[in-house]
Amino acid sequence: MRFPRIFWRVTMDLHDIRQDYSKRELSKKHCLDNPIAQFEQWMNEAMASQVPEPTAMNVATVDKDGRPSNRILLLKEVNQQGFVFFSNYHSRKGRALAANPFASLTFFWAELERQVRVEGRVEKLPEHLSDEYFDSRPYTSRVGAWASEQSQVIANKQVIVARAAMFGARHPLHVPRPEHWGGYLVIPDRVEFWQGRPSRLHDRIVYRLENGNWIKERLAP
């Protein structure tokens, strides 16, 4: 196979970039029986450690043509049902979820040498819960939800600035939630906890939902 010529050069050999992880261990017996509870424990530790953006997560979706895409979003809630985030229903991710209602979430806390991967079915939140969260957002963020036709091509930045000014004038005090904006709930059926270890012999504990029960197993690194 012939590869196209590349006319730029990376200043560092990427093959030589590596780090040996050794801060902590993860054992199956010390993991809680429920992956949601285990995630909450790790999230609390990440927040207590003041890692940057502890709620940031990579959200991966697959569209109707089987084409994957991903992006970084912020987790807004975790409860016994699953993981909650909010978005524009007409965005690329929204269209993908409408066609294929499954998603994968990845959290990576480099400072703790930890990663969590979540897979599951996705449902829209009930409207009243989306309303509650939307009303809690800053005024400018609520106007922005109206102004941005997320993922659509626009001619220039002035288009979005003008739309924000228009909707700000239209809703000077109370900004109602647009029908095209709201929450998603990822209902997990597989959750994996990864703890970096020396010599790439990482600790991996996976939870699988089987007949309504969580099965906990260790995976090879």
Side-chain angles (χ1 to χ4, degrees):
M1 178 183 294
R2 297 185 63 184
F3 294 94
R5 294 181 63 189
I6 299 176
F7 295 97
W8 50 267
R9 183 177 296 278
V10 177
T11 57
M12 182 181 295
D13 188 344
L14 301 183
H15 295 91
D16 292 335
I17 298 178
R18 57 178 55 87
Q19 179 176 335
D20 216 20
Y21 301 116
S22 60
K23 290 184 177 179
R24 307 186 186 200
E25 295 182 74
L26 180 65
S27 67
K28 181 179 170 183
K29 69 177 181 179
H30 289 137
C31 285
L32 302 175
D33 291 336
N34 185 289
I36 300 290
Q38 181 66 37
F39 176 84
E40 290 177 330
Q41 178 176 299
W42 272 27
M43 175 60 79
N44 287 334
E45 291 179 12
M47 295 178 70
S49 299
Q50 298 184 329
V51 304
E53 298 287 4
T55 63
M57 59 184 181
N58 187 309
V59 179
T61 56
V62 177
D63 67 16
K64 61 182 178 60
D65 298 317
R67 188 180 182 91
S69 62
N70 55 0
R71 70 289 291 164
I72 302 298
L73 299 179
L74 298 181
L75 178 71
K76 289 302 179 181
E77 183 183 340
V78 58
N79 55 47
Q80 287 307 304
Q81 289 182 290
F83 302 77
V84 174
F85 66 90
F86 293 83
S87 184
N88 186 312
Y89 295 147
H90 296 167
S91 65
R92 185 179 182 187
K93 80 180 78 63
R95 296 194 302 272
L97 289 171
N100 188 5
F102 293 89
S104 176
L105 315 176
T106 303
F107 299 83
F108 181 55
W109 301 306
E111 294 77 10
L112 301 178
E113 300 174 351
R114 284 176 171 176
Q115 175 181 266
V116 181
R117 298 165 60 192
V118 178
E119 301 173 21
R121 180 169 52 87
V122 181
E123 296 179 356
K124 285 184 179 179
L125 280 187
E127 291 190 359
H128 73 277
L129 295 180
S130 290
D131 288 338
E132 286 179 10
Y133 174 70
F134 188 80
D135 289 343
S136 74
R137 303 180 84 207
Y139 173 81
T140 53
S141 297
R142 284 176 280 154
V143 170
W146 281 94
S148 176
E149 297 177 298
Q150 194 175 83
S151 302
Q152 302 303 310
V153 175
I154 58 176
N156 51 53
K157 182 64 176 289
Q158 187 56 37
V159 171
I160 195 71
V161 172
R163 285 178 59 84
M166 178 183 69
F167 284 107
R170 185 176 298 177
H171 304 293
L173 298 176
H174 174 65
V175 184
R177 180 181 62 87
E179 291 185 0
H180 61 261
W181 192 98
Y184 289 102
L185 172 68
V186 181
I187 305 170
D189 54 34
R190 183 183 177 95
V191 184
E192 180 189 318
F193 295 85
W194 178 98
Q195 179 72 61
R197 298 297 297 143
S199 303
R200 293 297 185 265
L201 300 179
H202 309 305
D203 290 330
R204 297 174 63 190
I205 304 298
V206 67
Y207 295 74
R208 295 184 296 104
L209 190 61
E210 189 173 292
N211 299 321
N213 298 310
W214 286 107
I215 308 300
K216 183 171 50 174
E217 298 168 315
R218 175 176 283 275
L219 300 179

